[in-house]
Amino acid sequence: LPEIALAGRSNVGKSSFINKMIQRKNLARTSSKPGKTQTLNFYKINEAFYFVDVPGYGYAKVSKKERKAWGKMMENYFTKRENLKAAIMVVDMRHKPTEDDLLMYDFLKYYEIPVIVIATKMDKVPKSKRAKHVKQITEELELETKDIMIPFSAETGDGKDEAWSAIKSYI
Ligand code: GDP
């Protein structure tokens, strides 16, 4: 089955994104433990594809040893996967991308993986400021034109249809 990787800083709203997309409350457990897991979680969706949950990045709070293990796992997965069709990178629409977000985007581009950026927590940004935030994130990441940016809210479900269309275009 095709695979879509899912990456995002700890606590950015990745679990909430998955759960909203598949209308579940708890398939993806929401947690705030920063970057502890060193394993990839596969969620089979509608017998059609896998969401491959990449453990939360965010280097600040993890040891050098953990960072190394994480890097190795990521490299193994991203270099060898023929089924990997695209990556979803979840960022917080309220803020500029962090240093870790920039590193992750560059990492995905290095492996030539198409990226769908989900700018989540859109409900927390006033309507009048949303376009400005989208533009700023696009510029800071230096988003390639073929990559897609979708404002999203796990609270309201805004952006859900657009996110599904984007995923379907890759699987
Ligand atoms: P994860 O660690 O990346 O999986 O993040 P979670 O999905 O656990 O979300 C972290 C926190 O942000 C939780 O308190 C969520 O309820 C909240 N959250 C996630 N997405 C949204 C959103 O779209 N809007 C709002 N208002 N809160 C959100």
Side-chain angles (χ1 to χ4, degrees):
L1 287 183
E3 295 168 7
I4 304 282
L6 260 167
R9 284 183 299 107
S10 305
N11 226 26
V12 73
K14 198 168 58 162
S15 315
S16 305
F17 168 76
I18 304 179
N19 289 330
K20 191 71 193 177
M21 289 296 281
I22 61 179
Q23 304 279 31
R24 297 275 155 73
K25 280 225 160 68
N26 275 315
L27 183 77
R29 236 177 315 114
T30 52
S31 95
S32 52
K33 283 205 191 102
K36 275 282 173 191
T37 345
Q38 300 295 335
T39 49
L40 298 164
N41 289 306
F42 287 70
Y43 299 102
K44 197 191 262 182
I45 311 294
N46 303 332
E47 303 294 323
F49 71 99
Y50 287 104
F51 268 144
V52 184
D53 191 14
V54 171
Y57 54 90
Y59 285 151
K61 290 196 177 127
V62 300
S63 69
K64 200 172 168 189
K65 203 173 156 194
E66 277 184 299
R67 248 184 345 249
K68 236 178 166 170
W70 184 87
K72 205 154 216 167
M73 175 202 68
M74 291 285 285
E75 211 175 288
N76 281 338
Y77 176 69
F78 283 95
T79 45
K80 284 174 199 148
R81 282 291 162 160
E82 277 142 41
N83 293 339
L84 180 63
K85 303 301 179 196
I88 292 175
M89 200 180 121
V90 184
V91 301
D92 191 325
M93 188 165 162
R94 292 173 296 177
H95 310 299
K96 279 188 180 180
T98 65
E99 199 58 38
D100 288 324
D101 288 329
L102 301 179
L103 283 168
M104 176 58 73
Y105 185 72
D106 289 346
F107 177 91
L108 295 168
K109 289 292 94 185
Y110 175 80
Y111 288 104
E112 300 182 325
I113 299 158
V115 176
I116 302 164
V117 178
I118 297 293
T120 196
K121 305 194 183 179
M122 174 190 185
D123 57 283
K124 292 195 168 179
V125 180
K127 273 205 175 86
S128 61
K129 293 193 173 154
R130 288 177 188 166
K132 192 181 138 215
H133 284 224
V134 165
K135 184 164 177 266
Q136 192 175 46
I137 296 167
T138 303
E139 285 172 0
E140 292 266 335
L141 288 177
E142 299 183 48
L143 202 73
E144 292 181 357
T145 44
K146 63 170 188 283
D147 290 337
I148 306 166
M149 154 97 77
I150 300 169
F152 186 88
S153 168
E155 282 289 309
T156 64
D158 277 314
K160 192 176 153 181
D161 294 345
E162 291 85 347
W164 270 120
S165 300
I167 290 167
K168 283 177 183 155
S169 73
Y170 286 116
I171 60 176

